Amino acid sequence: MHWSYGSVIRRALGAGAVVGVLLAAYLYAVVEPVIDMAVALEEAASATGAADGGAARHDDPLFTRGEQVGGGMAATFATAMVVAAVFGTVFAAVRHRLPARSDLPRALWLAAVGFATVLLIPALKYPPSPPGMGDADTVGERTVVYLICLSASVLIAIALTRLYGTLHARLADHTRVVAMGTASVVAYALLLVVLPAAPGSVEAAVPADLVWDFRVRSLGGLALLWLGLGLGLGWLLDRHADRTSDRQPVAPGP
Amino acid sequence: MIATTHPLPTVEPIRVPGVAWLAVAVAVFVVYLMLQENGALLASSWNTLHELFHDGRHALGVPCH
């Protein structure tokens, strides 16, 4: 089945819209309860004067909590659409090199690589954190190291893909898989060791179990985003290909 | 997935138009403004953006306070 870029991106954006709505609902139902607990703790701390700069910005809120929930849901939906656009475009560009027989495993494979590269690696070094943990004065600095980590992670993934192509002619399949696994572990371990720790993040005011709960829920939602995009795009492509190939053999009748 | 006994089918590459990469770059920049901007590019309105998308930033694992 040959696809045009337009027919791939339309299906990617369709999957993105469905996943975006689901993810906004996930934010509302699963992540918000923990954010509310963290915000309540933060406000209690600033009311007793215990908190320093970190909580100061919330003394004169620009938006109500309800508006922030709505803004968060809108941001979640928009992010899902943008990730879908990037995912669909990269999928179209690398589809012929993905090792699978149909588009569903191809899309899932790329989604797994995307999740690990864009999300998991930066999250291992700079994990998602509930409100009240980060110092407002260091948010710029934390953003810079986070974006450096994300960019480096993507560059390493591209370099590893190149390496895989180079090794194709020189090593047997099984040896090459082991070599690639080793190279990936070494490259990403080095990246995580070399990058500086997040400046001024953890504040003792937030209980550890709340932080853990928040991180699991946040990462769960992001895993759902990538899984949903991979499943959605792959399923839409394969479904159309199946329908077309079902029709074709019937045509040359007697 | 990689070590299969039957060779994988060869797939014809899809031609991705240049304007698609441009659109992707613009979309990524919009997400940067929405989730990451903390005053590096916007002089005055960044705090408004930051606060409006506050919950989304936390949930999506982007540095926040």
Side-chain angles (χ1 to χ4, degrees):
Chain A
M1 180 84 201
H2 182 66
W3 294 100
S4 69
Y5 173 73
S7 48
V8 171
I9 199 69
R10 262 188 289 119
R11 286 171 174 83
L13 292 176
V18 173
V19 172
V21 169
L22 291 176
L23 201 62
Y26 179 93
L27 171 77
Y28 184 79
V30 180
V31 187
E32 282 297 348
V34 185
I35 293 185
D36 279 339
M37 277 193 272
V39 169
L41 282 175
E42 199 181 6
E43 276 164 2
S46 79
T48 57
D52 46 27
R57 187 167 289 153
H58 290 291
D59 290 348
D60 182 22
L62 283 163
F63 296 99
T64 63
R65 287 293 303 136
E67 284 166 343
Q68 283 188 328
V69 172
M73 290 171 79
T76 305
F77 178 81
T79 303
M81 289 303 287
V82 168
V83 174
V86 177
F87 180 67
T89 305
V90 172
F91 180 83
V94 303
R95 174 175 176 264
H96 60 286
R97 291 165 60 186
L98 292 168
R101 288 174 189 287
S102 81
D103 285 317
L104 183 57
R106 279 188 201 114
L108 280 174
W109 176 255
L110 186 65
V113 171
F115 173 74
T117 311
V118 178
L119 218 111
L120 199 56
I121 293 294
L124 285 175
K125 188 74 189 187
Y126 310 110
S129 298
M133 267 186 83
D135 186 347
D137 296 335
T138 62
V139 66
E141 211 178 322
R142 281 182 287 128
T143 299
V144 170
V145 288
Y146 175 86
L147 289 178
I148 287 174
C149 182
L150 204 166
S151 319
S153 175
V154 172
L155 289 178
I156 289 174
I158 294 171
L160 286 169
T161 312
R162 291 265 165 91
L163 178 66
Y164 186 78
T166 311
L167 293 179
H168 190 81
R170 302 180 191 189
L171 295 177
D173 274 355
H174 298 94
T175 319
R176 188 162 47 128
V177 170
V178 174
M180 286 306 299
T182 313
S184 310
V185 170
V186 169
Y188 281 110
L190 269 177
L191 175 69
L192 294 177
V193 169
V194 165
L195 285 170
S201 47
V202 180
E203 276 180 33
V206 188
D209 56 345
L210 196 153
V211 174
W212 173 254
D213 208 16
F214 178 84
R215 286 181 176 161
V216 169
R217 288 167 190 237
S218 166
L219 288 174
L222 291 159
L224 286 177
L225 165 67
W226 287 93
L227 180 66
L229 287 178
L231 279 177
L233 176 62
W235 176 68
L236 288 173
L237 289 173
D238 275 355
R239 191 183 63 145
H240 185 78
D242 281 350
R243 284 181 181 174
T244 334
S245 65
D246 282 349
R247 275 204 302 270
Q248 273 165 356
V250 186
Chain B
M1 205 152 166
I2 292 158
T4 42
T5 44
H6 304 289
L8 290 165
T10 47
V11 179
E12 204 183 322
I14 298 171
R15 223 184 60 77
V16 179
V19 67
W21 293 111
L22 190 70
V24 162
V26 170
V28 168
F29 183 67
V30 168
V31 160
Y32 167 81
L33 285 184
M34 196 167 63
L35 296 180
Q36 304 276 3
E37 175 63 9
N38 299 298
L41 296 179
L42 304 176
S44 56
S45 54
W46 69 270
N47 197 24
T48 313
L49 285 178
H50 182 119
E51 288 297 317
L52 179 60
F53 298 128
H54 172 268
D55 287 28
R57 292 174 68 119
H58 281 287
L60 297 167
V62 169
C64 205
H65 62 274

